[in-house]
Amino acid sequence: MTNQKLYHAHIEACVEAMNACNLSYVANLKEYNLEKLCECIRITRECAEICSFTAQSLSQGSQFAGEIAELCAKVCEACIAECAKHDNQHSRECIEACRYCVEMCKDLMVAV
């Protein structure tokens, strides 16, 4: 079985979190009170990048899959904590996608 098939659900979770983070990032940039959202903008962008990197690494069969998944889970947890401070739909969607990504990353860490 190829790594991409083996990690299919994990890759999808990372891509979903990446997309939700990117949408939240862009939505936050359109707000008027950017100073209030500065940390949320930073962490959603960073989380999107880490989730993208994780999906790419898993699809390429990285020997560091467990360590990369651990980092991804940590960044997603930080993103969840920051987005929870903001009451809007895109933050809630980001939280939901990141929670699932954390769950899948932790599953991967145990499996590897």
Side-chain angles (χ1 to χ4, degrees):
M1 181 179 283
T2 66
N3 287 319
Q4 193 169 20
K5 287 183 181 178
L6 180 66
Y7 298 135
H8 182 74
H10 303 89
I11 293 167
E12 281 190 350
C14 290
V15 170
E16 287 178 27
M18 176 197 69
N19 288 335
C21 287
N22 278 329
L23 288 172
S24 186
Y25 166 77
V26 170
N28 282 329
L29 287 175
K30 293 178 181 178
E31 296 291 328
Y32 290 105
N33 193 354
L34 289 179
E35 188 174 309
K36 177 184 170 191
L37 297 168
C38 187
E39 183 60 18
C40 195
I41 290 167
R42 186 198 64 74
I43 193 67
T44 53
R45 187 69 200 130
E46 183 174 12
C47 191
E49 291 173 3
I50 295 296
C51 288
S52 174
F53 174 72
T54 303
Q56 290 173 20
S57 296
L58 293 176
S59 69
Q60 295 167 1
S62 173
Q63 67 182 17
F64 303 106
E67 292 90 343
I68 293 168
E70 182 179 7
L71 174 63
C72 187
K74 285 180 182 179
V75 175
C76 281
E77 287 171 341
C79 190
I80 291 166
E82 182 58 35
C83 285
K85 297 175 185 176
H86 308 284
D87 186 29
N88 53 56
Q89 185 63 31
H90 60 83
S91 288
R92 287 188 292 274
E93 290 171 1
C94 189
I95 289 168
E96 183 180 323
C98 283
R99 278 189 182 139
Y100 183 63
C101 189
V102 168
E103 179 183 317
M104 294 303 289
C105 283
K106 288 184 177 181
D107 174 68
L108 180 68
M109 290 161 46
V110 172
V112 176

